[in-house]
Amino acid sequence: MIKLFLSVTFATALMGLVAYGQTSTSSTTVATGTNGVSETTTTTTESTGTVTEFTPGQALILKTEAAEPMRYKFGKTVTYVTSDGRVIEASKIRKDSKVRVHYIKQGDDMLVDKVIVTDVRD
C-alpha cells in the first residue's frame, strides 16, 4: 500500500514538472464571413524559458525545451510583471532571467504583449 501511495505521489509530481515546461495555447477560429472573405485566425500562446538575449522594445530570445532558442518580437504595447502581478520596469529583465511570455502569432512572427518574470532581481 505504501509503495502504491509513493508511486502515485511521485508520478503526480513528475507530471507537474513536465507541465511547467510546456507551451500553452488557445486559439480563436473565425468562420468565413457572409461576404465570402475568410478572416485570419489569432492564436494566443504562452511559453516559459530563460532569457538569452533581450533588447527592450525590440526582441527577446528564450532558451526553452525546443532544440533552438525561440525569438520573439515585441508588440506595440508590452507589459512587464512579476509572477504575483506587480508591474515592473523592463530594466529588471536580464540575461538568465526566468520568464513566461504571452504572445500572439501573426504570420511567422511571435509578438509579445506580456512578459511575466518569475525571478525578479533587484
Side-chain angles (χ1 to χ4, degrees):
M1 186 66 155
I2 292 174
K3 286 183 181 180
L4 176 62
F5 176 73
L6 289 175
S7 296
V8 171
T9 302
F10 287 123
T12 303
L14 180 60
M15 286 189 301
L17 289 173
V18 171
Y20 178 75
Q22 298 291 325
T23 300
S24 63
T25 304
S26 64
S27 298
T28 304
T29 304
V30 179
T32 304
T34 56
N35 59 4
V37 177
S38 61
E39 298 183 24
T40 306
T41 300
T42 301
T43 303
T44 304
T45 308
E46 283 190 349
S47 186
T48 303
T50 303
V51 175
T52 59
E53 291 183 42
F54 175 61
T55 307
Q58 293 182 4
L60 174 73
I61 298 177
L62 285 184
K63 179 181 177 185
T64 63
E65 290 183 352
E68 295 293 319
M70 302 296 295
R71 179 180 176 80
Y72 301 89
K73 294 182 179 180
F74 286 108
K76 293 182 181 186
T77 57
V78 179
T79 306
Y80 302 93
V81 297
T82 61
S83 57
D84 62 356
R86 228 176 356 113
V87 176
I88 59 172
E89 296 293 321
S91 62
K92 295 284 185 184
I93 300 173
R94 295 189 171 80
K95 185 177 179 178
D96 295 328
S97 293
K98 307 281 187 219
V99 299
R100 189 170 75 233
V101 293
H102 181 271
Y103 63 93
I104 298 171
K105 185 134 172 85
Q106 289 185 344
D108 291 335
D109 293 332
M110 294 180 285
L111 301 177
V112 174
D113 61 355
K114 189 176 202 178
V115 178
I116 301 122
V117 182
T118 57
D119 66 342
V120 178
R121 299 176 189 152
D122 293 318

